[in-house]
Amino acid sequence: MILTTTPSVEGRKISRYCGIVTGEAILGANVFKDLFAGIRDIVGGRSATYERELQRARDIALAELEERARAAGANAVVGIDLDYEVLGQGNGMLMVSASGTAVVLE
């Protein structure tokens, strides 16, 4: 399965459009992760914990998008857009959504 943010795949012709597909992931932030990330922010540097959670959420959203594209009979998804939001009381939830157009490439 080819996943791309571009509207086409160079050298390949789109023979059929299968529709828009999406994938979402919503993850909660753990209190201890928040504490250690806060300490890291105070002393400077990157928060590896949040970076890992963000990567995990992105991987889940893209895997779900790919699964839905495959179920629609596609072999690629073009025009993928990734969106990130913070949700919930106290902004304790991270949401990553991925959307794109499922297509069949020749």
Side-chain angles (χ1 to χ4, degrees), residues 25-91:
I26 300 175
L27 302 177
N30 178 305
V31 173
F32 294 111
K33 289 179 187 176
D34 285 346
L35 173 66
F36 291 119
I39 291 169
R40 173 68 86 157
D41 289 341
I42 290 169
V43 297
R46 295 166 54 175
S47 174
T49 301
Y50 277 125
E51 288 176 1
R52 278 193 302 274
E53 287 301 300
L54 186 60
Q55 179 65 51
R56 186 169 148 240
R58 188 171 43 247
D59 290 346
I60 291 168
L62 287 170
E64 192 173 283
L65 175 130
E66 182 176 343
E67 180 181 317
R68 289 177 177 164
R70 189 169 277 112
N75 64 1
V77 181
V78 297
I80 293 175
D81 179 52
L82 294 168
D83 291 310
Y84 303 87
E85 295 290 333
V86 180
L87 307 169
Q89 185 177 9
N91 294 330

